[in-house]
Amino acid sequence: MSGFGGFVVRRGVGAVVTLFAISVIIYVVFYATPGDVAQITCGPRCSPEQVHQVAQQLRLDDPLYLRYWHFLEGILVGQDYSTGTSVQHCSAPCLGLSYQSDRQVTQLILTKLPVSLSLVLGAMALWLVLGVGTGMLSAWRRGRLSERVLTGITLAGTATPVFVIGLVLMIVVCGELHLLPFPQYVALTDDPEQWAWNLLLPWLSLALIEAASFARLTRVSMLETLAEDHIRTFRAYGVGERSVIGRHALRGALAPVIALNANNFGSAVGGAVLTETLFGLPGIGQELVHAVAVVDLPVVVGMVLVIGFFVVIANAVADLLYAVADRRVVLA
């Protein structure tokens, strides 16, 4: 296949292969390393009989490739889990069973995922607006005092940890000025207004850090684009500067911004641990920290798989958007 359709197929196949490779690596790292995997999976409170039952469930006596196939089969078609007193059916995609809480990992993740997505998607909208806007303005005002001020602000934002920004915002905005309540997650379906108000500070804390990177990248890309021949031609024909910047230069500078946004979105889903912990948001990041602390191996494996899934999908979508922004990518 050729053209845009072939490009989409190639990227789709590449994403599937990458997800398969990630699942293999994660399984080998967590389930094929030295140690009593059954004891770790079951948890410290399990009796020897329960540990033996978990070892049978994981088929630890089988060769490694069969054990992985059983693991992959659970993700694709589901499987049954015995808890000693009953049998639970885990529907696909089944990421395992937490023997410490007797909850299916998929259900646990689905209860936490809306919180993390609410945080990351809202922050992403802010960091794109702030970062791209600041980068465009900085490139447009190159050599002037405003450009130096904006550059200094972006450098400070890059160097400041997210928990410092979050603490300062909470102390000033919530504690001193009383402009916003201390964040307490409210579901979007319950009260959209309270959902937004309670997430505004976490959005700002995460967005201000990421916006600095986008501002720097947009500035560099805009300066490179503004130096190209077709931009000089537009200016020679009398096209207005705002039109040159907004319609022509920005489109050429967006391709690297799209790629960076995909990487940041995928990593932010799992990397917003500090933000969720600081503001008490019950998302994937906070749950992953808890699972590591209590050594809940199935939950850790499931969370890492989901984070890897978002990283791969975000990059696949970025490739498609990249191709739309610059059709030369399709021919590469």
Side-chain angles (χ1 to χ4, degrees):
M1 297 180 66
S2 60
F4 190 75
F7 177 80
V8 172
V9 171
R10 292 195 301 272
R11 289 298 181 266
V13 172
V16 172
V17 173
T18 304
L19 287 172
F20 174 76
I22 289 175
S23 69
V24 172
I25 294 171
I26 290 175
Y27 185 84
V28 171
V29 168
F30 286 101
Y31 286 114
T33 53
D36 193 344
V37 177
Q39 181 66 65
I40 297 173
T41 303
C42 190
R45 294 179 297 177
C46 288
S47 64
E49 292 78 12
Q50 290 173 313
V51 173
H52 178 70
Q53 186 179 43
V54 172
Q56 290 182 321
Q57 184 70 49
L58 297 177
R59 302 185 181 183
L60 296 181
D61 294 331
D62 292 343
L64 180 60
Y65 70 92
L66 288 178
R67 290 159 53 188
Y68 170 74
W69 175 252
H70 176 66
F71 172 76
L72 187 62
E73 185 180 35
I75 296 177
L76 297 177
V77 299
Q79 59 181 306
D80 294 328
Y81 283 92
S82 175
T83 60
T85 58
S86 61
V87 176
Q88 290 188 27
H89 176 70
C90 183
S91 302
C94 179
L95 299 175
L97 178 71
S98 171
Y99 293 92
Q100 298 193 30
S101 62
D102 288 334
R103 295 185 64 184
Q104 296 180 15
V105 176
T106 305
Q107 295 178 351
L108 180 63
I109 291 176
L110 288 177
T111 61
K112 305 294 182 180
L113 190 58
V115 182
S116 295
L117 289 180
S118 295
L119 172 63
V120 174
L121 289 174
M124 182 180 70
L126 284 177
W127 78 52
L128 284 175
V129 172
L130 295 175
V132 175
T134 302
M136 287 179 58
L137 183 59
S138 180
W140 187 25
R141 309 289 291 180
R142 183 183 182 184
R144 302 183 184 182
L145 178 61
S146 56
E147 187 265 343
R148 296 189 182 94
V149 172
L150 291 173
T151 301
I153 292 174
T154 55
L155 288 174
T158 305
T160 307
V162 64
F163 64 86
V164 173
I165 293 180
L167 282 174
V168 171
L169 286 176
M170 277 201 298
I171 293 172
V172 174
V173 177
C174 300
E176 298 294 331
L177 301 179
H178 304 288
L179 297 177
L180 291 173
F182 285 95
Q184 185 176 2
Y185 182 74
V186 177
L188 175 62
T189 53
D190 293 341
D191 191 332
E193 183 179 355
Q194 288 300 314
W195 169 82
W197 276 111
N198 281 277
L199 283 175
L200 185 56
L201 281 187
W203 286 342
L204 285 172
S205 301
L206 191 57
L208 290 175
I209 298 295
E210 301 292 347
S213 300
F214 281 90
R216 295 174 64 188
L217 180 61
T218 303
R219 177 182 179 275
V220 172
S221 300
M222 286 288 294
L223 290 176
E224 291 178 354
T225 305
L226 289 171
E228 294 180 357
D229 292 338
H230 71 283
I231 298 297
R232 287 196 290 267
T233 302
F234 284 130
R235 285 172 169 167
Y237 277 97
V239 178
E241 190 67 14
R242 291 186 179 182
S243 180
V244 169
I245 295 289
R247 294 184 57 186
H248 303 288
L250 179 59
R251 182 171 182 178
L254 278 181
V257 174
I258 292 172
L260 177 63
N261 189 59
N263 291 328
N264 285 18
F265 173 79
S267 60
V269 173
V273 176
L274 288 176
T275 308
E276 291 181 0
T277 303
L278 177 63
F279 291 101
L281 301 177
I284 284 182
Q286 193 180 71
E287 184 62 30
L288 180 59
V289 171
H290 176 263
V292 171
V294 299
V295 198
D296 197 343
L297 187 58
V299 175
V300 174
V301 172
M303 294 282 186
V304 174
L305 277 172
V306 169
I307 293 169
F309 171 81
F310 275 105
V311 172
V312 172
I313 296 302
N315 279 276
V317 172
D319 286 342
L320 298 180
L321 295 176
Y322 202 116
V324 172
D326 187 353
R327 297 305 292 265
R328 293 173 296 179
V329 175
V330 176
L331 303 176

